[in-house]
């Protein structure tokens, strides 16, 4: 699929059907990134963005899938400045087309918050997450998966900016929602992130408690899925390392 899309773009200068195949584009970019072909992904996205914006205009909503693909690309590379540039485009487009009370705008704000945090713009990032959270709570309800995802990202920002006391309750609220929704994999991710925070804050007991809870969440999944997630997140490895540290 990657080679075919690449060839098609080179041959047909009028290939601008992205709005009709957003899932295919996202899958293609993901596959390119997984293959380490970030330069090719960037080139393809740039070509498509130029053609589509020329045909549809800079304020066309059909550009959003390309903007979000750029955000995904630069996030995977840890290029926070480039990610920020595309997040700002997404925020402006969502505001213009969908309005400041829309779920689309909340998504754009959340992406913007994710980009601002690593650039040490913590206050600006916090405002983005708080605004996104308010929109999603109003539209989807306080216990929705969309709210939980925003809470997780907000807690991560607070963790990384050293605000452990404030991050703790947000992690707990997020975990409660994932548990109620029976989203065991996402629950494990949130609990593991909280464990990292407590470990870094020298609260080994609370860290161990959250690791146990994370493994308990994974036990609700099929064994093969649980093992794969555990391997990716290194929950069992972190638990063993912490147990060794506590025995010293």
């Amino acid at each position: 699929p990657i080679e075919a899309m690449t060839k098609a773009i080179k041959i047909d200068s009028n290939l601008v059907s992205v709005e009709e195949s957003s899932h295919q584009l996202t899958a293609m970019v993901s596959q390119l990134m997984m293959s380490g072909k970030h330069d090719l992904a960037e080139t393809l996205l740039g070509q498509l963005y130029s053609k589509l914006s020329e045909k549809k205009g800079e304020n066309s909503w059909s550009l959003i899938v390309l903007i979000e693909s750029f955000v995904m690309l630069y996030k995977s590379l840890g290029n926070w400045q480039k990610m920020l540039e595309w997040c700002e485009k997404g925020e402006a487009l969502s505001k213009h087309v969908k309005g400041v009370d829309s779920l689309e705008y909340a998504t754009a704000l959340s992406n913007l918050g994710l980009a601002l945090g690593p650039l040490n713009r913590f206050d600006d990032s916090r405002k983005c997450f708080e605004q996104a959270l308010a929109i999603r709570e109003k539209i989807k309800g306080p216990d929705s998966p969309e709210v939980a995802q925003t809470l997780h990202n907000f807690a991560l920002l607070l963790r990384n900016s050293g605000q452990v006391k404030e991050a703790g309750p947000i992690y707990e609220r997020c975990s409660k929602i994932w548990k109620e929704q029976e989203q065991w994999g996402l629950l494990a991710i949130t609990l593991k992130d909280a464990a990292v925070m407590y470990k870094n804050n020298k609260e080994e007991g609370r860290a161990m408690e959250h690791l146990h809870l994370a493994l308990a969440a994974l036990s609700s999944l099929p064994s093969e899925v649980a093992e794969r997630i555990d391997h990716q997140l290194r929950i069992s490895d972190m638990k063993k390392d912490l147990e060794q540290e506590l025995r010293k």
Side-chain angles (χ1 to χ4, degrees):
I2 293 173
E3 288 76 10
M5 177 68 83
T6 306
K7 186 176 181 181
I9 290 171
K10 289 179 179 178
I11 292 174
D12 183 2
S13 60
N14 295 313
L15 180 67
V16 192
S17 58
V18 180
E19 67 270 36
E20 299 172 2
S21 58
S22 59
H23 293 297
Q24 291 94 319
L25 175 66
T26 302
M28 180 193 71
V29 173
S30 297
Q31 190 174 349
L32 282 170
M33 291 190 297
M34 288 171 61
S35 302
K37 298 177 181 178
H38 298 95
D39 290 343
L40 179 56
E42 187 176 31
T43 299
L44 291 177
L45 287 172
Q47 290 177 358
L48 288 166
Y49 186 85
S50 295
K51 292 169 186 173
L52 191 58
S53 58
E54 183 179 345
K55 181 179 180 180
K56 299 284 189 177
E58 290 289 342
N59 290 324
S60 170
W61 184 246
S62 57
L63 290 170
I64 195 65
V65 65
L66 291 170
I67 292 172
E68 291 181 345
S69 293
F70 268 117
V71 169
M72 178 175 65
L73 172 65
Y74 291 123
K75 180 184 177 184
S76 72
L77 291 171
N79 189 335
W80 308 115
Q81 189 58 50
K82 280 285 190 180
M83 179 183 171
L84 175 61
E85 292 172 15
W86 286 96
C87 285
E88 288 174 336
K89 285 180 183 287
E91 187 269 342
L93 183 61
S94 299
K95 184 177 183 179
H96 176 76
V97 177
K98 298 296 183 177
V100 296
D101 295 320
S102 65
L103 285 173
E104 292 84 357
Y105 189 59
T107 297
L109 286 170
S110 188
N111 285 337
L112 189 56
L114 287 170
L116 289 165
L119 294 171
N120 295 323
R121 293 176 58 180
F122 297 124
D123 289 343
D124 290 335
S125 180
R126 181 189 186 108
K127 290 176 183 176
C128 287
F129 284 129
E130 288 177 338
Q131 191 174 352
L133 185 62
I135 295 169
R136 285 174 166 169
E137 285 178 329
K138 182 178 180 180
I139 297 175
K140 303 297 289 188
D143 299 322
S144 65
E146 293 84 356
V147 165
Q149 188 60 61
T150 309
L151 288 168
H152 178 92
N153 292 334
F154 188 20
L156 190 60
L157 169 74
L158 294 170
R159 185 193 92 178
N160 292 340
S161 56
Q163 301 176 69
V164 176
K165 288 185 178 180
E166 192 172 357
I170 295 177
Y171 271 127
E172 296 306 316
R173 181 185 168 194
C174 178
S175 298
K176 182 181 178 182
I177 296 173
W178 289 142
K179 187 174 182 179
E180 290 174 350
Q181 297 284 337
E182 296 186 354
Q183 294 287 342
W184 307 117
L186 294 171
L187 175 58
I189 292 172
T190 295
L191 290 166
K192 195 261 181 152
D193 278 3
V196 170
M197 177 184 72
Y198 289 124
K199 181 179 182 296
N200 292 340
N201 200 48
K202 309 299 182 184
E203 297 181 64
E204 290 84 358
R206 298 194 73 180
M208 186 64 76
E209 175 189 350
H210 282 73
L211 291 173
H212 279 295
L213 290 171
L215 291 172
L218 291 183
S219 69
S220 297
L221 294 169
S223 58
E224 290 185 4
V225 177
E227 289 173 7
R228 184 173 70 250
I229 295 175
D230 186 25
H231 178 73
Q232 291 172 342
L233 299 180
R234 299 190 69 252
I235 298 173
S236 293
D237 290 342
M238 182 179 173
K239 177 174 171 289
K240 290 177 183 176
D241 291 342
L242 187 55
E243 286 172 341
Q244 290 179 354
E245 289 181 23
L246 292 173
R247 282 197 293 266
K248 291 181 181 178

